[in-house]
Amino acid sequence: MAEEKKLFKVTIDNITIEVEPGTSILNAARMIGGDVAPPAMCYYTKLKASGGKCRTCLVEVSAGSTADPRPMTKLVASCRTNVMDGMVVKNITSERVIDARNGVVEFLLINHPLDCPICDQAGECHLQDLSYDHGKVGTRYEFQRRTFEKHDLGPYIQLHMTRCILCFRCVYVADQVTNKRVHGILDRGDHSEIATYIEKSLDNDFIGNVIDVCPVGALTDRTFRFKNRVWFLKPVDAHRDCPKCSSKVTLWYRGDEVYRVTARKDQWGEVHEWICNECRFEKKKTSDWVIEGPTKVSRHSVISSNHYVKMTMPQETLSEVMGGRPPKITMDIHNVSEVNKPNIHLSELPGPAHSEDFDNQQ
Ligand code: SF4
Ligand code: FES
């Protein structure tokens, strides 16, 4: 008879579960689920050696184990610390953790621009969620922020380094999922940056997955940039007969039009299976796919908003309070998008904007 495996008992935020030896505190907390699971900006289950960079997953260990119940003096990264039998962990029940997480978010936002209104990642950005939970209204930073030029890394991917939080996920994807890595993190400390150094393009067959793993809007899909907001799209699960990958994807529809294709993600925002560039960038017709049905979206996500029936539009009052004058445009989307034709004014289109209104090649 097979020997029964000994499980470790761990208590996280007063909830006790049993897990296999070798499980990290983060994964044990994810088994409990909900708010007990710490946020993770750099750890990614499918990527070996990920984690330990961002410190958003810090937790307090108030008892190390049954054999040695002393508390750990410092907060530990839950993605890189394994559970011990009898360990007691505090996440949201610890003031020290909440205070430290607030500090980590403040550091992450030192250089990160607050450009959510024009960022394609808005609505599915982990840093945006984290800022809502732990961010401050103002900043204490008085120095100039780091800014970088945007770079097109080949035909499909754009790097906006100013938004990067140096989580290393895209580097691990290139290392572990593709057969050749041509980008990495160059330089040290405040000078660190993601780069291909001599402007090589990322054109490997599976390199599009860097877009899905990027927790912020630093790596974006050039075939989708500025085409639509994610909360206006309807996600649908689909697959096709692909010789290169599992092709289990999510199609993002507006009306009958597929605006983008992504890998399917789990409740922690991590992809189930990597998909190839052809499925992601080149198959944007419904006829290319076998539709499985609507994607299950958490009702807390902004993506599940806007699907109301019998919607009544609020009364437009701006021009009324401005004595009949229309409001002035404070930002011209043509200056930032690099996609919209300069002669197209979104506010003047008769209905919602569709991709035929834009230049498809950008
Ligand atoms: S580009 Fe995105 S995935 Fe790559 S290190 Fe920066 S934040 Fe992480
Ligand atoms: S998720 Fe643990 S340090 Fe980043």
Side-chain angles (χ1 to χ4, degrees):
M1 211 171 77
E3 210 178 293
E4 216 173 283
K5 228 185 213 172
K6 181 175 163 26
L7 297 179
F8 283 176
K9 254 193 190 141
V10 54
T11 304
I12 310 176
D13 286 343
N14 303 320
I15 301 170
T16 304
I17 52 158
E18 288 189 325
V19 297
E20 284 193 7
T23 307
S24 66
I25 297 174
L26 179 78
N27 279 331
R30 283 183 173 186
M31 288 175 201
I32 298 171
D35 289 343
V36 173
M41 297 293 285
C42 67
Y43 172 77
Y44 211 80
T45 315
K46 281 199 158 50
L47 298 174
K48 267 187 268 147
S50 66
K53 320 277 189 308
C54 70
R55 303 273 136 184
T56 52
C57 68
L58 288 177
V59 291
E60 181 178 337
V61 176
S62 48
S65 65
T66 313
D68 183 0
R70 284 176 300 171
M72 292 187 183
T73 44
K74 288 184 185 171
L75 302 181
V76 297
S78 61
C79 65
R80 282 298 186 97
T81 312
N82 285 354
V83 297
M84 299 296 287
D85 196 23
M87 185 181 254
V88 180
V89 178
K90 290 179 178 174
N91 177 27
I92 48 172
T93 50
S94 163
E95 272 179 36
R96 279 175 71 202
V97 169
I98 302 299
D99 189 45
R101 205 164 281 155
N102 292 349
V104 169
V105 172
E106 195 176 358
F107 267 115
L108 288 176
L109 291 176
I110 277 183
N111 284 308
H112 190 89
L114 295 182
D115 61 352
C116 310
I118 57 150
C119 176
D120 279 304
Q121 190 84 357
E124 48 187 4
C125 174
H126 294 220
L127 188 56
Q128 192 180 28
D129 295 342
L130 212 51
S131 314
Y132 272 106
D133 288 340
H134 298 281
K136 286 193 165 58
V137 178
T139 176
R140 292 185 284 169
Y141 196 65
E142 290 172 0
F143 302 95
Q144 203 166 9
R145 286 159 184 252
R146 295 193 327 157
T147 51
F148 296 82
E149 290 291 318
K150 291 175 214 145
H151 286 296
D152 288 335
L153 305 175
Y156 296 130
I157 302 170
Q158 187 172 84
L159 167 67
H160 195 357
M161 180 58 216
T162 310
R163 294 177 184 152
C164 174
I165 58 159
L166 297 168
C167 73
F168 270 81
R169 283 179 181 177
C170 59
V171 179
Y172 291 135
V173 165
D175 254 347
Q176 296 168 29
V177 184
T178 73
N179 55 19
K180 193 168 161 227
R181 172 162 72 85
V182 291
H183 82 290
I185 295 187
L186 304 182
D187 294 335
R188 294 292 171 105
D190 196 32
H191 293 271
S192 309
E193 62 170 302
I194 285 282
T196 54
Y197 207 68
I198 40 174
E199 303 288 318
K200 282 190 184 154
S201 68
L202 305 186
D203 55 4
N204 191 289
D205 241 356
F206 280 77
I207 199 67
N209 291 294
V210 295
I211 299 167
D212 279 342
V213 301
C214 185
V216 293
L219 293 166
T220 46
D221 178 346
R222 287 187 67 203
T223 66
F224 175 65
R225 274 175 72 76
F226 295 106
K227 293 261 168 79
N228 226 303
R229 306 306 295 184
V230 73
W231 51 89
F232 293 138
L233 304 180
K234 202 168 140 234
V236 171
D237 286 347
H239 66 269
R240 61 183 272 270
D241 195 11
C242 175
K244 290 185 230 158
C245 70
S246 75
S247 78
K248 289 185 181 152
V249 303
T250 302
L251 305 180
W252 296 79
Y253 273 98
R254 181 149 180 177
D256 296 333
E257 205 174 328
V258 178
Y259 270 75
R260 70 168 179 171
V261 181
T262 63
R264 294 184 201 169
K265 291 190 176 175
D266 63 15
Q267 57 171 319
W268 311 113
E270 297 185 5
V271 307
H272 286 295
E273 288 176 49
W274 309 115
I275 60 167
C276 68
N277 282 6
E278 189 183 339
C279 284
R280 183 186 298 273
F281 300 116
E282 283 158 29
K283 299 290 171 195
K284 299 226 177 159
K285 281 197 229 109
T286 303
S287 54
D288 294 328
W289 297 96
V290 180
I291 305 291
E292 293 171 25
T295 307
K296 233 172 140 197
V297 180
S298 155
R299 70 186 171 84
H300 299 295
S301 164
V302 70
I303 296 166
S304 61
S305 68
N306 275 315
H307 297 297
Y308 305 117
V309 277
K310 294 188 187 150
M311 190 171 65
T312 28
M313 294 301 281
Q315 194 199 341
E316 182 54 81
T317 51
L318 257 183
S319 63
E320 223 170 85
V321 295
M322 292 174 68
R325 276 180 296 122
K328 259 197 188 148
I329 293 173
T330 48
M331 186 195 77
D332 187 351
I333 190 79
H334 301 126
N335 297 338
V336 258
S337 80
E338 297 165 1
V339 174
N340 297 344
K341 287 179 182 161
N343 56 341
I344 290 185
H345 293 283
L346 293 181
S347 55
E348 289 166 16
L349 292 177
H354 282 264
S355 58
E356 302 104 62
D357 296 317
F358 306 109
D359 187 350
N360 274 329
Q361 292 316 303
Q362 280 296 308

